[in-house]
Amino acid sequence: MSSLRTLVFYATPAHDCSYLPDREATTMFVDPRAQIDKKLYSQLTALGFRRSGSHYYRPHCEACNACIPVRLNVNHFQPDRNQRRVMKKNSDLECTLVPAAFNESYYRLYANYVELRHKDGDMYPPSREQFISFLVEGNSDSWFLEMRKDGELLALAAVDVLDDGLSAIYTVFDPAQESRSLGTFAVLWQIEETQRRKQPHLYLGYWIKQCNKMSYKTRFKPLEALHDGQWRVLKTE
C-alpha cells in the first residue's frame, strides 16, 4: 500500500481555467497506479487534494492561487435563519445513504441537471460513462445520499467517508425543485451526519473568491481554509 512518502505526483500541461476567464490552470495529480486506502485519502484531503473518480488532484498553477481548499468544523457550526428555513422546508424528504453505484434513475437526474444548469461546464454534454468515471469509480468508501419525496428522487449527493469526517464530492437535483434549495440542504444534512459520527470536519472542496458559483460555501461558518499548510478560519471580508 502506498504512503505519502512514496507517492509520485504528475502535473498536467497548462490548460484553460474552468472557473476564471482568461487564465490558464495546471493540475497536480497522484500517480493513477498508486494504491490509495482510506488513511492515505484522508491525509491527501487534509493537504488540499480532491477526488474525481479514481483520480486524486489539486490545483498547481504557477501564477495563481485562487483555488482555496475549504472545510467546515461541524462542532462549531450554528445554522443561520435561512439555513434553518431550508431544513424545515425539506423536513418532508426521506434521506438515505446507499453505496455509490450506477442506477439509471441516478443518471437521468444527473443528465437533466447538467443539461439545464451546466452547459458551460466541463461535464457537458453528460454521458453514462462520464457519470460512472466521475461519481462511481474510485474510492471504496463512497456513498450516495438519496433525497426522496414520496419515493421520487429529487436530489443525489456523492459523499466520501474519511478518517476525520466526510467529503462532499458533488450534488445534483431536479431543477424544477429549485425553491427547495436542495444543494444547501445536502450540505446541512452532511453536517448533521458528520456530527452524528462524532467527527470534526466536512470538506467542501475549493473556494474561489471571484467565482459566484462558489459563494454559497462561505455561508457555512466557521469555514476553514488551507493556507501554507495550515487550516485557519477563512476571513471573507
Side-chain angles (χ1 to χ4, degrees):
M1 189 60 64
S2 302
S3 66
L4 273 178
R5 187 175 300 177
T6 61
L7 285 180
V8 177
F9 300 90
Y10 296 97
T12 66
H15 53 275
D16 290 341
C17 179
S18 300
Y19 300 105
L20 299 177
D22 304 322
R23 295 201 194 184
E24 288 193 330
T26 302
T27 303
M28 176 190 293
F29 63 95
V30 177
D31 185 342
R33 296 167 295 183
Q35 296 182 347
I36 309 295
D37 62 5
K38 184 176 177 180
K39 177 181 178 182
L40 183 52
Y41 179 24
S42 300
Q43 291 172 332
L44 285 167
T45 303
L47 291 172
F49 281 77
R50 295 289 287 171
R51 183 182 72 83
S52 176
S54 57
H55 298 285
Y56 299 82
Y57 70 94
R58 67 167 299 169
H60 189 65
C61 305
E62 183 175 338
C64 179
N65 57 0
C67 294
I68 301 174
V70 290
R71 72 185 185 187
L72 182 70
N73 187 323
V74 301
N75 295 321
H76 300 151
F77 173 73
Q78 293 291 333
D80 61 24
R81 179 181 300 177
N82 180 67
Q83 290 162 346
R84 291 194 298 271
R85 188 179 299 119
V86 170
M87 290 293 289
K88 183 176 181 181
K89 183 181 296 185
N90 291 288
S91 61
D92 59 339
L93 298 185
E94 179 184 359
C95 298
T96 309
L97 275 180
V98 299
F102 179 81
N103 177 300
E104 188 63 27
S105 64
Y106 295 164
Y107 174 70
R108 287 197 300 269
L109 183 71
Y110 170 85
N112 187 43
Y113 177 82
V114 172
E115 289 274 1
L116 293 180
R117 294 181 64 94
H118 289 287
K119 280 191 174 182
D120 59 343
D122 295 339
M123 295 177 297
Y124 183 84
S127 70
R128 288 168 179 80
E129 293 75 18
Q130 175 201 70
F131 176 89
I132 292 170
S133 65
F134 177 30
L135 298 177
V136 177
E137 292 180 350
N139 184 44
S140 60
D141 209 347
S142 297
W143 301 80
F144 284 162
L145 168 62
E146 297 181 345
M147 290 159 270
R148 296 181 180 271
K149 168 66 173 173
D150 298 328
E152 180 185 358
L153 184 67
L154 301 188
L156 188 74
V159 186
D160 284 352
V161 177
L162 305 173
D163 286 342
D164 64 332
L166 300 180
S167 178
I169 301 298
Y170 200 66
T171 299
V172 299
F173 56 85
D174 180 356
Q177 302 290 332
E178 188 167 5
S179 63
R180 282 182 174 268
S181 301
L182 289 166
T184 295
F185 175 70
V187 175
L188 292 168
W189 191 96
Q190 289 171 78
I191 291 171
E192 290 191 344
E193 178 64 16
T194 308
Q195 293 169 337
R196 283 191 288 270
R197 293 169 180 260
K198 301 187 185 306
Q199 294 176 305
H201 300 127
L202 174 62
Y203 290 87
L204 294 173
Y206 301 113
W207 172 73
I208 300 175
K209 185 176 183 179
Q210 304 95 316
C211 182
N212 289 333
K213 290 181 180 179
M214 296 187 180
S215 62
Y216 75 92
K217 298 182 182 184
T218 61
R219 301 182 195 127
F220 299 92
K221 303 179 185 298
L223 197 64
E224 297 178 345
L226 184 64
H227 287 290
D228 300 324
Q230 299 291 323
W231 288 95
R232 302 185 180 92
V233 174
L234 176 67
K235 292 181 171 60
T236 57
E237 300 300 328

